[in-house]
Amino acid sequence: MLFTAWPVWALEAVTLQLKWDHAFQFAGYYAAQELGYYRDAGLEVQIRSADAHTHPVEEVLAGRAQYGVGTSSLLLERQAGKPVVVLAVIFQHSPQVLLARQVHSQQSVHDLAGKTVMLEPQSEELIAYLNHEKVPIDTLRRLPHSHKIEDLINGRVDALSAYATYEPFFMKQSGVDYQVYTPRSVGIDFYGDNLFTSEQELQANPQRVAAFRRASLRGWQYAMAHPEHVIDWILNRYPSPRLTREFLRFEAERMAELLRTDLVDIGYMTTGRWQHIAETYARVAVARYPNVPAGFLYEHDVRQDFTWLYRVLFVVATVLLVVMVIALYIHRVNRRLANAVADKTRSEERYRVIFQTSPSAGMVWRDGFVVTDWNSEAEAVFGWKREEVVGRPFTEFLLPIDQRERLSVRFSRMVQQNVLPSGINDNLTRDGRTITCEWFNAWLPHRPGQPIEVVSLAHDITERQRLQHEVRELAFYDALTKLPNRRLLQERLDQMLSVIQQQGTCAALMFLDLDNFKPLNDSHGHKMGDILLMEVACRLAGCARQTDTVARFGGDEFVVLIGPLDVVSAVAREQALALAQGIRDRLSDPYELAGADGIQPLEHRCTASVGVVVFKADTDAEKAMQLADSAMYQAKEAGRNQVFLADACPRPACEAVKL
């Protein structure tokens, strides 16, 4: 009995101090404990959670814990003289962010100046971010972090430090609009959740440190590969109303983007990356000097002294070198001859292997566009087998019918001019689909007595172009109404200024705001409000001319850019006011709002207050927007459902004109 109990007695008890309450954030340590990795390493590990008053560095340095989890501010602790040693990096990208209540859609991190903010310990990364963005730290009303997201949800604070893997889940559940400010947006990309120990622990128990590190990283590898297993353990061992399966899955998915186990091993870190972190801290005045202190990074590969072996090997190598020189001299002539014969064979074999295993769709063709070779990737992309295309001109089956003549002439001219540029073309597949490919062409080495050949490699970029189109749509068009957004409106306004400058004409800007939109949202919900906004967008587009731009400015505000108008300012004003009157009348017609998702159909009346400004090319674009916006507010104050003109063109009286 004593013999069988000996392994239990032999276990060394150590404590791991977490930096937060139990969650999937520490999944690897739970896995190492549940699967017995720590016991296999001879360790009995207590995993201790943290509260609002816990400082992991103090716990480890005081000996109340042997290991801890900390942010990249561990570097600052070491610079301050505290003997901490980083053992491994878990998060390749730090999850630390600032979470703020959304007051308006255009707010930024600069709006935090003078606001109430809660920052947890080891938040120097966020302080560096605020310094970089020129947000005055001394104006913040800083409070100790309560570790309660309800303080932000209920408005007791304006912002707090958070993890991108944690608090956003509860903000979405609460329905409160919020903004996430991340240091990564300005290039401050630090490590996160670093496993560390003290210099005293490392010197006193180097083998225990190495064993704890290996077991922990082994646990992390299992946890990220089997998240559902770890979620089950967390729910059973640490039951809490907040730790739901839905939340833990959310956390696991967000963590995968930050650990990047598909690119690097868990625990991987480099001196260069830590040096960059030190330089960043120093640049934004968080650290005093931009250096990584000696002894801060753990070296898990201890190198032995093989000096004596190197000396022996040097003597042996010298003797062997003399023998090799003599042998090489004897065989030199024979090797040259053998290499000359083999080079040609190897060159052909290499070409064949590279061509056939290339990830690009490839074909070889000669004069007349006749295909002489066709690789396996080309079979996969275009659908034709090699035996079906060899000997046929590729213009017959790869090029669309309406482009064959034009592209054939182009290819012929390229061959004659000895020029083979890359290009993007539409191509046909065997099943009749049209795909877009990017082609790269090159001459093959010419063999005397044989025709000149060209190798062409293609990448199917159809999906890439589709995604680029979607990105442009998201960047320049409103997702709800499909109208141009502010960014595209600004481009169109700049273009209009160029046009009217060349023509010597005028243009007009119309700013519209729906008068009774909020009651509809309050009474019938945002979905019915969205239906009204889409109907308003359709009516505006129907009223505008082809040369005009209708844009959604935000919320229930729309902008119509009209032009070019008559060269005479008075006539231009009449044209703009006539179009504004037509739009106002059209928008005041009753709306039959069709129901959706269980919403009952509804008849709704909605008017609009319209501000109009007529301007010439010498008018500042921002000033024109301000004048139109001011005129719209005058229309609001005058009783709504009005059109007011604020004229930017020179005339005796420039006051707002009511229509």
Side-chain angles (χ1 to χ4, degrees), residues 113 143 278 357 374 456 504 578:
L143 298 177
T357 59
W374 184 264
S456 297

Side-chain angles (χ1 to χ4, degrees), residues 125-139:
E125 175 184 349
L126 300 178
I127 295 174
Y129 170 47
L130 294 173
N131 285 342
H132 181 278
E133 289 294 279
K134 303 297 188 295
V135 177
I137 302 297
D138 55 355
T139 66

Side-chain angles (χ1 to χ4, degrees), residues 280-315:
T280 302
Y281 275 138
R283 186 174 65 252
V284 295
V286 174
R288 288 178 295 178
Y289 54 92
N291 294 317
V292 178
F296 174 62
L297 303 181
Y298 174 66
E299 296 182 6
H300 59 278
D301 293 327
V302 180
R303 299 177 180 176
Q304 300 182 13
D305 184 9
F306 291 107
T307 305
W308 63 273
L309 181 59
Y310 297 152
R311 293 173 179 171
V312 173
L313 290 177
F314 175 77
V315 174

Side-chain angles (χ1 to χ4, degrees), residues 585-607:
D585 294 342
R586 182 70 182 99
L587 294 184
S588 64
D589 291 340
Y591 293 84
E592 295 292 337
L593 302 180
D597 297 331
I599 302 175
Q600 295 297 324
L602 172 69
E603 180 177 309
H604 181 71
R605 291 185 178 274
C606 181
T607 60

Side-chain angles (χ1 to χ4, degrees), residues 352-641:
R352 172 57 51 189
V353 171
I354 294 173
F355 181 74
Q356 287 299 333
T357 59
S358 171
S360 304
M363 67 175 176
V364 179
W365 52 279
R366 55 178 173 80
D367 189 28
F369 314 115
V370 176
V371 178
T372 59
D373 207 350
W374 184 264
N375 70 6
S376 57
E377 186 63 19
E379 293 182 350
V381 172
F382 299 109
W384 281 284
K385 297 296 183 183
R386 184 176 185 277
E387 55 270 17
E388 294 178 309
V389 300
V390 171
R392 294 177 56 191
F394 66 80
T395 52
E396 294 182 357
F397 59 88
L398 274 186
L399 303 183
I401 296 177
D402 58 342
Q403 300 181 27
R404 286 179 185 174
E405 182 176 355
R406 176 178 60 85
L407 292 177
S408 296
V409 173
R410 178 188 169 196
F411 290 152
S412 297
R413 188 180 300 114
M414 289 191 321
V415 174
Q416 293 172 0
Q417 296 175 353
N418 198 29
V419 177
L420 292 174
S422 302
I424 297 177
N425 300 315
D426 288 338
N427 297 112
L428 298 176
T429 63
R430 198 176 193 280
D431 56 7
R433 293 180 296 111
T434 300
I435 61 175
T436 303
C437 294
E438 184 175 13
W439 289 91
F440 302 89
N441 308 297
W443 298 104
L444 285 178
H446 181 230
R447 298 178 179 178
Q450 296 186 7
I452 298 176
E453 291 184 319
V454 177
V455 60
S456 297
L457 302 176
H459 297 282
D460 183 358
I461 62 171
T462 308
E463 181 64 13
R464 187 179 78 188
Q465 288 194 327
R466 184 188 68 80
L467 292 175
Q468 289 174 344
H469 176 73
E470 289 184 1
V471 170
R472 176 173 175 79
E473 289 291 315
L474 292 173
F476 292 99
Y477 291 89
D478 177 57
L480 176 65
T481 63
K482 309 306 180 184
L483 293 177
N485 60 15
R486 290 190 186 187
R487 181 182 296 177
L488 185 54
L489 172 65
Q490 185 63 49
E491 288 189 7
R492 298 277 178 85
L493 182 55
D494 294 339
Q495 294 171 3
M496 182 63 70
L497 288 171
S498 299
V499 171
I500 63 177
Q501 183 178 22
Q502 294 173 0
Q503 299 179 355
T505 55
C506 297
L509 198 65
M510 187 183 306
F511 209 103
L512 302 93
D513 185 87
L514 302 184
D515 292 329
N516 52 348
F517 177 71
K518 187 175 185 299
L520 176 67
N521 267 347
D522 295 341
S523 302
H524 301 281
H526 291 282
K527 289 186 178 179
M528 189 61 77
D530 290 345
I531 296 173
L532 175 62
L533 291 175
M534 289 188 287
E535 178 62 26
V536 169
C538 291
R539 293 188 183 187
L540 284 173
C543 294
R545 307 172 305 175
Q546 289 185 348
T547 57
D548 301 335
T549 296
V550 179
R552 184 184 180 193
F553 199 73
D556 58 344
E557 294 178 334
F558 296 85
V559 174
V560 182
L561 177 61
I562 310 165
L565 299 176
D566 198 279
V567 66
V568 180
S569 300
V571 177
R573 285 189 284 273
E574 294 177 3
Q575 293 173 335
L577 288 174
L579 182 57
Q581 178 65 34
I583 288 177
R584 187 196 68 172
D585 294 342
R586 182 70 182 99
L587 294 184
S588 64
D589 291 340
Y591 293 84
E592 295 292 337
L593 302 180
D597 297 331
I599 302 175
Q600 295 297 324
L602 172 69
E603 180 177 309
H604 181 71
R605 291 185 178 274
C606 181
T607 60
S609 298
V610 186
V612 183
V613 61
V614 178
F615 59 92
K616 290 185 177 180
D618 57 356
T619 304
D620 180 73
E622 184 176 354
K623 181 65 175 177
M625 289 290 290
Q626 292 175 352
L627 288 171
D629 185 47
S630 178
M632 182 272 291
Y633 276 106
Q634 293 183 50
K636 284 277 189 187
E637 295 172 357
R640 304 185 179 183
N641 196 21

